[in-house]
Amino acid sequence: MISADLGKQLEGFVAKLVAEGRYNSKSEVLREGGRLIQDREARLAALDASIARGIADADAGRVRDLDVVFDELIAALEQRAGAKAG
């Protein structure tokens, strides 16, 4: 069992959520908060891994010239716009 002092502001917020019927109990609010933090941490870990892969690719020379990438992107968007118009 975890006991935590949320402070006046958070305690009031949690109590309001329960009083308004959004949650059945303070514990339910705190569990939801824990799940949201868990999800955020997982997304941050995935982002960190993606950044690490990108840095490794750059360090290994697996890069493309930005102007070439932009030109390809613009051409693809123009082609898509033309296909929708036609």
Side-chain angles (χ1 to χ4, degrees):
M1 179 88 162
I2 297 175
S3 176
D5 178 10
L6 300 178
K8 212 173 187 182
Q9 183 180 1
L10 279 177
E11 180 69 34
F13 180 68
V14 169
K16 179 182 174 197
L17 290 172
V18 174
E20 292 174 348
R22 303 257 328 261
Y23 294 87
N24 293 320
S25 67
K26 292 178 181 179
S27 292
E28 192 175 295
V29 176
L30 296 178
R31 281 191 298 273
E32 177 71 10
R35 283 190 291 271
L36 290 170
I37 292 169
Q38 189 176 31
D39 180 56
R40 183 187 68 195
E41 292 298 317
R43 286 184 285 122
L44 286 173
L47 179 59
D48 286 343
S50 293
I51 291 169
R53 282 192 306 273
I55 291 170
D57 282 344
D59 288 346
R62 294 184 297 267
V63 296
R64 296 181 61 206
D65 184 70
L66 185 60
D67 291 330
V68 172
V69 173
F70 279 154
D71 290 343
E72 291 172 356
L73 179 59
I74 290 168
L77 291 173
E78 288 172 346
Q79 182 180 11
R80 177 182 272 179
K84 286 184 179 182

